[in-house]
Amino acid sequence: KDRPNLLDLLPDVEIFHKAVRFPLEYDEICDVSRARKALDSVMKRAPLLREGKTPWTTEGGVRAYRSWIDGSVQPYFLAVPKNYHPAAATQYRVDIFCHGRDEKLTDLNFISGKAPAAAEDHFVVHPYGRYCVANKFAGEFDLFEVLESLKKQYRIDENRIVLTGFSMGGAA
């Protein structure tokens, strides 16, 4: 609590635990190898965060934020631009890609998916959108929460935000 900048990044660790806990708690199908990889990620990120080291913020990959809607931790994928430098004054474009509907999509399946490829000069974000609700209801608002999370950590050009998607994600 005495390091709020690190506290804001705690969801980046918690998401892996949540992704494994939910299938066990709610009797969902759980791929054991994916669960083990998620738990390995917790065990790697937690000590780094405690030490104040957060390499995933410049490397990209699975990220998360705490939703103001219900306090839950929600995942997203982030590809950091290849030319990103934290000290640069550059404002970056953000491309947001919303996935289509998938009734088998869970936090664990989502974070076990393939991360988007890094672009040379802009961020690429794939929000989870809360299960398979096709970016509706709370999932619709998640997009705005992902953007707010990004704005706290990176210089985002609000005039260059691109929204696209596939299938029901395209309807976003």
Side-chain angles (χ1 to χ4, degrees), residues 68-86:
W68 73 263
I69 294 173
D70 58 5
S72 65
V73 175
Q74 296 296 321
Y76 62 94
F77 273 112
L78 178 66
V80 176
K82 293 177 184 175
N83 71 355
Y84 175 72
H85 190 280

Side-chain angles (χ1 to χ4, degrees), residues 6-83:
L6 295 180
L7 188 61
D8 285 344
L9 297 175
L10 185 57
D12 290 340
V13 175
E14 293 174 313
I15 191 56
F16 295 100
H17 176 261
K18 175 191 173 205
V20 174
R21 182 175 57 89
F22 270 36
L24 298 175
E25 192 172 318
Y26 298 110
D27 293 323
E28 297 173 340
I29 294 172
C30 181
D31 182 313
V32 175
S33 64
R34 288 181 174 183
R36 285 188 175 143
K37 287 179 184 176
L39 293 175
D40 285 345
S41 295
V42 168
M43 299 307 288
K44 290 175 185 169
R45 282 191 181 183
L48 287 171
L49 184 64
R50 188 178 308 114
E51 295 170 16
K53 298 174 184 173
T54 58
W56 59 88
T57 61
T58 55
E59 295 167 356
V62 175
R63 300 295 307 277
Y65 63 91
R66 188 168 315 284
S67 174
W68 73 263
I69 294 173
D70 58 5
S72 65
V73 175
Q74 296 296 321
Y76 62 94
F77 273 112
L78 178 66
V80 176
K82 293 177 184 175
N83 71 355

Side-chain angles (χ1 to χ4, degrees), residues 13-172:
V13 175
E14 293 174 313
I15 191 56
F16 295 100
H17 176 261
K18 175 191 173 205
V20 174
R21 182 175 57 89
F22 270 36
L24 298 175
E25 192 172 318
Y26 298 110
D27 293 323
E28 297 173 340
I29 294 172
C30 181
D31 182 313
V32 175
S33 64
R34 288 181 174 183
R36 285 188 175 143
K37 287 179 184 176
L39 293 175
D40 285 345
S41 295
V42 168
M43 299 307 288
K44 290 175 185 169
R45 282 191 181 183
L48 287 171
L49 184 64
R50 188 178 308 114
E51 295 170 16
K53 298 174 184 173
T54 58
W56 59 88
T57 61
T58 55
E59 295 167 356
V62 175
R63 300 295 307 277
Y65 63 91
R66 188 168 315 284
S67 174
W68 73 263
I69 294 173
D70 58 5
S72 65
V73 175
Q74 296 296 321
Y76 62 94
F77 273 112
L78 178 66
V80 176
K82 293 177 184 175
N83 71 355
Y84 175 72
H85 190 280
T90 305
Q91 286 192 319
Y92 293 90
R93 182 180 102 199
V94 176
D95 287 4
I96 303 166
F97 182 86
C98 297
H99 62 79
R101 192 175 139 97
D102 179 353
E103 294 193 15
K104 295 179 182 176
L105 191 62
T106 62
D107 289 46
L108 183 58
N109 289 340
F110 179 78
I111 67 169
S112 300
K114 188 176 178 190
E120 188 65 37
D121 61 352
H122 63 276
F123 287 94
V124 179
V125 181
H126 287 214
Y128 176 50
R130 305 220 187 196
Y131 187 55
C132 65
V133 296
N135 300 290
K136 296 179 184 173
F137 313 114
E140 181 178 10
F141 202 80
D142 286 343
L143 181 121
F144 296 108
E145 290 194 295
V146 167
L147 276 173
E148 287 306 310
S149 177
L150 291 174
K151 288 178 194 176
K152 286 181 183 178
Q153 300 170 50
Y154 307 100
R155 290 182 179 88
I156 302 301
D157 184 344
E158 292 192 37
N159 293 313
R160 295 189 304 150
I161 298 173
V162 177
L163 179 61
T164 187
F166 173 76
S167 189
M168 286 301 290

